[in-house]
Amino acid sequence: MDMIFLSRLQFASTTIFHFLFVPISIGLVFIIAIMESFYVKTGNEEYKKMAKFWGKLFLINFVIGIVTGILQEFQFGMNWSNYSRFVGDVFGAPLAIEALLAFFMESTFIGLWIFGWDRLSKKVHLACIWLTAFGTTISAFWILAANSFMQRPVGFEINNGRAEMNDFFALITNGQVLVEFPHTVFGALATGAFLVCGISAIKLLGKKDVDFFKKSFQIGITVALSATFLTLVAGHAQAQFLVETQPMKMAASEGLWDESEDPAPWTVFANIDVENKQNSGEVKIPYLLSILSYNTLDGSVKGMNDLQAEYVQKYGDGNYIPPVKTTFWSFRIMVAAGVAMILLGIYGVFLAWKKKLVAKPNKWFYRFMIAGISLPFIANTSGWIMTEIGRQPWTVFGLMTTEDSISPSVSAGQVLFSIIAFCTIYAILGAIMVYLYVKVIKKGPYLMEKEDTKVTNDPFAKEGFHA
């Protein structure tokens, strides 16, 4: 059993599972805030019911997301002690701010929002959900600020073999976080929006609470199309940044072994032979890689062979080419999912604009929207796989390799046991979330409201005896 492989596998599995919940929280709370804003502005009780219904799903996701996130920080000390020792003085500040400020802010205003219905004024209550949305977004910023240091180390000095932060402002204005943050947040908004649209499509297909879910779908599909388009724009900016800061990752994501043609075509498909460092069966789109890299119709992109020689000269002997097939195909899976999301969003907005959402011929579209719930998760996951795998063999680019980052005192057997234990716990948590989601969705907004009213009218509930 390879200790490095097992440590990476554990971190990948727990991180991917945790990140299923993070974008839902960021995106769904934003949509809930929009719904409640409509309620405050129009006085229409339907929007209030919408905020409460979707708020139930948000709270379920938020709680389970917290549990899954705890393991993330534990793993730094368990399996990656050398890494933690090296970057601890840099990571300490953004992670502490995320926990003590952003997360505390989210939790406080979520509590006020939950228990503030009919106790706070409409505008104050609305402010609570918008501040919650702001808190979730800022929380993501601090996490990404730490991750961006791994991609492009700035604002530090090496002291006694450890990286120590000497410029906090440089850390939070790192060019990497400035392109990574909007790309991640817009992707999260699309995730929440497609979840709303998919669940609404289930109800519209069943012709249940049609007016309620038609309004939800209209809001969701508008956010979905806008967020997906902005994700595309932010992703383009991030790709151009990679050409300058991590050219090896860019070359691997394109399967480029030698310097590209000028102008550079974008490879749609290729049969990659890693052993012989060559491709066959390539399908290319002329000029597109030059446009993606430089916003011009000309310009070449360096290949992995040339970059490998440069890195050996700069960093010493070693293999600096990442897993090419994984990097190449994860990028294309992300792009394909994004294109599908845009197409669904355009058609959905068209139907909403034409007021044809409940027309009979739309059954096939609603089925696509139900399946479309998975698209943002596929795009998010494949995007992060490309981002992290494409940085290999580094944990901190140019400073520390993955091989040097693991815990020397932890055995492969211990890591394997913890992988099995964590995956079992995550499977249970996932099953609980699905069960609770299905329960809330089946009840719908009106039956759920009746049950909530019944509990509220219970005198014991008023004294806090009911959750």
Side-chain angles (χ1 to χ4, degrees), residues 252-253 268-272 324-334 382:
S253 71
V268 180
F269 175 88
N271 182 19
I272 299 173
V324 181
K325 290 183 179 180
T326 305
T327 308
F328 180 87
W329 286 113
S330 60
F331 180 66
R332 274 140 192 82
I333 292 170
M334 178 187 68
S382 57

Side-chain angles (χ1 to χ4, degrees), residues 225-255:
L225 179 58
S226 303
T228 305
F229 177 76
L230 290 171
T231 303
L232 177 66
V233 174
H236 175 57
Q238 189 170 353
Q240 290 187 321
F241 193 76
L242 283 181
V243 175
E244 299 179 10
T245 59
Q246 294 185 64
M248 181 67 84
K249 182 188 293 185
M250 187 65 178
S253 71
E254 296 304 321

Side-chain angles (χ1 to χ4, degrees), residues 144-401:
L144 292 173
N147 178 266
S148 294
F149 179 82
M150 298 166 65
Q151 312 289 340
R152 180 175 179 259
V154 295
F156 74 100
E157 62 182 3
I158 300 296
N159 189 11
N160 294 324
R162 301 169 65 222
E164 297 182 356
M165 182 172 58
N166 61 5
D167 190 341
F168 180 71
F169 184 74
L171 186 69
I172 63 175
T173 58
N174 187 344
Q176 178 67 32
V177 75
L178 296 181
V179 294
E180 194 173 289
F181 175 66
H183 187 57
T184 303
V185 170
F186 290 140
L189 293 177
T191 304
F194 269 89
L195 182 69
V196 169
C197 291
I199 293 172
S200 298
I202 293 172
K203 290 293 190 177
L204 291 171
L205 269 177
K207 297 181 180 179
K208 296 179 180 178
D209 305 321
V210 172
D211 289 338
F212 179 94
F213 286 103
K214 185 176 75 171
K215 285 188 176 71
S216 294
F217 189 94
Q218 288 171 335
I219 294 173
I221 200 66
T222 303
V223 175
L225 179 58
S226 303
T228 305
F229 177 76
L230 290 171
T231 303
L232 177 66
V233 174
H236 175 57
Q238 189 170 353
Q240 290 187 321
F241 193 76
L242 283 181
V243 175
E244 299 179 10
T245 59
Q246 294 185 64
M248 181 67 84
K249 182 188 293 185
M250 187 65 178
S253 71
E254 296 304 321
L256 278 177
W257 295 104
D258 299 304
E259 186 169 349
S260 72
E261 307 165 27
D262 186 359
W266 186 71
T267 304
V268 180
F269 175 88
N271 182 19
I272 299 173
D273 184 348
V274 176
E275 185 176 349
N276 295 313
K277 297 184 177 181
Q278 62 184 16
N279 303 335
S280 60
E282 294 179 321
V283 177
K284 299 182 178 182
I285 300 176
Y287 299 99
L288 188 54
L289 183 55
S290 292
I291 295 172
L292 292 174
S293 301
Y294 308 112
N295 285 338
T296 63
L297 293 176
D298 56 4
S300 62
V301 177
K302 284 187 176 181
M304 288 178 281
N305 290 329
D306 291 337
L307 292 167
Q308 167 68 15
E310 290 180 15
Y311 284 13
V312 167
Q313 187 175 7
K314 184 175 182 179
Y315 302 115
D317 291 336
N319 180 16
Y320 299 100
I321 297 176
V324 181
K325 290 183 179 180
T326 305
T327 308
F328 180 87
W329 286 113
S330 60
F331 180 66
R332 274 140 192 82
I333 292 170
M334 178 187 68
V335 171
V339 170
M341 288 161 62
I342 287 178
L343 294 176
L344 287 174
I346 291 172
Y347 190 72
V349 168
F350 172 77
L351 290 179
W353 178 53
K354 289 291 187 178
K355 298 182 180 180
K356 293 183 178 180
L357 282 175
V358 293
K360 288 184 179 179
N362 294 331
K363 287 185 176 180
W364 65 269
F365 172 66
Y366 287 137
R367 293 189 179 99
F368 277 125
M369 288 305 304
I370 294 169
I373 293 175
S374 65
L375 290 175
F377 295 102
I378 293 171
N380 292 335
T381 301
S382 57
W384 274 110
I385 289 174
M386 180 262 183
T387 298
E388 300 305 307
I389 293 293
R391 192 182 64 249
Q392 294 302 311
W394 306 103
T395 46
V396 183
F397 185 79
L399 296 178
M400 190 177 210
T401 64

Side-chain angles (χ1 to χ4, degrees), residues 435-450:
Y435 169 77
L436 293 174
Y437 260 49
V438 170
K439 186 177 180 180
V440 171
I441 293 167
K442 279 186 175 180
K443 285 182 179 179
Y446 300 109
L447 179 58
M448 188 185 73
E449 185 183 33
K450 287 180 181 178

Side-chain angles (χ1 to χ4, degrees), residues 62-79:
F62 184 78
V63 171
I64 296 181
I66 292 172
V67 177
T68 62
I70 292 173
L71 288 178
Q72 295 305 103
E73 297 199 23
F74 280 157
Q75 281 193 80
F76 289 131
M78 291 189 300
N79 291 355

Side-chain angles (χ1 to χ4, degrees), residues 1 28 105 133 155 237 269 281 299 414 430:
M1 292 184 293
L28 196 53
M105 178 182 177
F269 175 88
Q414 290 172 321

